[in-house]
Amino acid sequence: ATVTFQPAENGSYTVDGKTIPPEYTSTQSSTTAYEVVATPAEGYRFMYWYDVNTGTHINTNDKAALNFDHDCTITARFVSKDLALFEANGQKFADLGKAITEAQKNLPATITLVGSGKITGNYIIPSQVTLLIPFDDNRTDYTTMPGTTGLVAAQKNQSVYTTLTMDEGSQITVYGNISLPAQVSSANSSYTGVISGQ
């Protein structure tokens, strides 16, 4: 397959150690992977590797091994660090509305905040869709009342994991669910903790 790697906006990347830009075209077997590494410009972060021909996201890791069995044009996509990033059905979005549309293709579904940031506008979380604001790498989502866990050393100084900020005038209407799970820990077992936010 012949693959053309186009320069990216708001960042750069390498293909097998070659820096893009400039544009680079290569032909090789589909069994041989291209080693790609994305580097965002200041104020931006990597989103995904993008197939320009089909308009699809092909990988969400900034360092990846990509195999191609068809001719295509590839680039890296970057987005402002100010914007929230969401994942639905294995695809990343910097627009909650697009994540909702993707989630509705395979119900029930979960949209996960995977990059802290802000949203602007009005959104509807439909029935059978959950917007998850996770507190850990496991994307733990409590659907029943959680029990008590022992104090873990790594949790003693744990801080905010993800933050979703809504611009003034923005609104989320919920017909499905918004999940904001968390853990409260204390060295004093008699302490009763509460989770609060605004």
Side-chain angles (χ1 to χ4, degrees), residues 14-18 28 33-37 63-66:
T14 61
V15 178
D16 296 333
K18 299 174 181 67
Q28 65 187 36
Y34 292 95
E35 299 293 332
V36 292
V37 179
K63 296 178 183 177
L66 305 179

Side-chain angles (χ1 to χ4, degrees), residues 35 43 58-59 61 63 67-68 75 87 95 97 105 107 112 155 168 173 180 192 197:
E35 299 293 332
I58 57 173
N59 192 296
N61 298 313
K63 296 178 183 177
N67 297 75
F68 301 100
T75 191
E87 186 175 287
D95 181 324
K105 294 178 182 177
L107 297 173
T112 305
Q155 295 174 334
E168 187 174 349
T173 302
L180 296 142
T192 302

